[in-house]
Amino acid sequence: MDSSASKLADLVERYYALLYRYACRLTGCEADAEDLTQHAFLTAQAKWHQLQDESKAKSWLFTIARNAYLKELRGTCRIVTAELDEFSGPAPDSGRFDFDSEQLQTVLNSLPEEFRTPLILFYFEEFSYRDIAEQMDVPVGTVMSRLARAKAYLRQRLTAPAAATIAHRLPAATLSGAGSRAAAPMRAP
Amino acid sequence: MNCQTARQTLELVRPHDADAPASDEAERHVHDCLDCQTAVRTQRELDEKIGGIFRDVTVPADLKERLLAGIASAQPAAIDESSGSQVCVVAEDRVPARIVAPVRVSRRLWLNKYVLRISAGVAASLVGGFCLWLAVRPAPPTLTLDEVTTQVLDTAPTAMPRFTSFRRGTELKLPATMDVSPLGGAALQAGDLDAAVYVFKMSNRAGPPIEGRLIVIPAAALIDPPTAVSFLAGPTSYKATYCTTAWTEGKLVYICCTTGGETVLQRLKRLSV
């Protein structure tokens, strides 16, 4: 096994689970997540020579996965650039956080990718703002801005008092979003 | 700092992240604001719950082995550099069954690639066809008979290069209704006109030699092609020192110009009977 193959195997060892989890949240589908993970590693293998700084291999791998996902979205015309409304609803009530993984994924799926990715990477706590910004090729400030709005969106969709009334306030693009898979309606808590 | 700014700031604070916003001022605000204390605490609980769920994804038990097997079996050179899509050759007998299963993302990328190529091909064909049509379509006529005659007669034969062919591929033919025996020489090109010119000089028993020019031009190039269909039927008119007559034969218009007045032209017509 040559040096790059050995390093790639090491990369698989260290990051395959994290990358799969990311892909799972990004695509909202386990089968697609597996394909995306596999695709990312195979692409990394083919383009190993492009990796200048091996300390950034993790970010590079995630960037490959995201680019592949975006390319796939472009192919199916499901990309949408949407603006999220500013939400300034009441503070969430901690007693009403009774959503589950499926509901969370449904709300996540209804977010345009440009908001979904920073949100996922933020909650994974594996990447700094700068890492996320580099992966998305946007300024750090943009990452934080999108993150703040995505969190507000999530908060509004997931907390009980707002859940019943939020649907009609959302921009159509974010609900029927071509950039997302079909978002099932939130179940009443 | 107001409540909203303080909450938004604290929401983005991450320990050990140099790019995270400074939280000192927001912390001071929250310390003195009961509403914000509640909101921030609740947000942190929400973050904790969301983060926990986000990370709680069960990874397939054999995923790592399948990934490693796939990498070991793939030929790196077969990755399509242009699209990044996977076209790797996987030796089916060397990897577990699941790794050989179609990679949906890649297949869709391939499908998209083919669709794109076909679409691009169709588009290119359409554009090419349009350009070809532009190139070969008959140009709308822009010249009158009078303009053509004037331009030819104003150009000295010595300034005319040899005529090669009409631009739209119309075949050059001598007129069928005129005596062409005087037209011994090669056709000439009059400036940038898409017309052939024969300069002729023939002996005349009754007087001085008959000199003139026969202009041949595609009828499609003229705004006003003549309605006469033979040399004999062509009406007579005068242009400078020339007496002219024009007629149409098939796709070509002929303009015969002679010096010496109408008598000379009529003699030439008689010779053509």
Side-chain angles (χ1 to χ4, degrees), chain A residues 90-105:
Chain A
D93 177 355
S94 61
R96 311 294 290 271
F97 294 165
D98 51 358
F99 55 89
D100 59 19
S101 178
E102 188 184 349
Q103 288 169 311
L104 177 58
Q105 186 66 48

Side-chain angles (χ1 to χ4, degrees), chain A residues 13 21 25 31 34-35 38-39 42 45-46 71-72 92 94 97 123 127 129-130 151 155, chain B residues 11-12 14 17 19 42-43 45 47 49 53 55 57 64 66 71 79 83 98-99 103-104 108:
Chain A
E13 183 79 38
R21 290 189 179 104
R25 290 301 175 199
E34 198 169 321
D35 290 346
Q38 187 183 55
H39 182 91
L42 286 169
Q45 181 182 32
K71 195 173 285 185
E72 162 67 4
S94 61
F97 294 165
Y123 280 117
F127 295 101
Y129 282 128
R130 189 163 297 277
K151 285 181 76 173
R155 185 165 58 238
Chain B
E11 197 170 28
L12 296 172
R14 302 177 86 188
D17 192 329
D19 290 303
T42 304
Q43 181 59 45
E45 287 170 6
D47 280 343
K49 175 158 184 173
I53 292 177
R55 292 185 292 271
V57 175
K64 185 174 75 175
R66 284 188 281 117
I71 287 169
I79 296 287
S83 68
R98 284 192 63 186
I99 202 75
V103 179
R104 272 175 297 245
R108 284 195 292 260

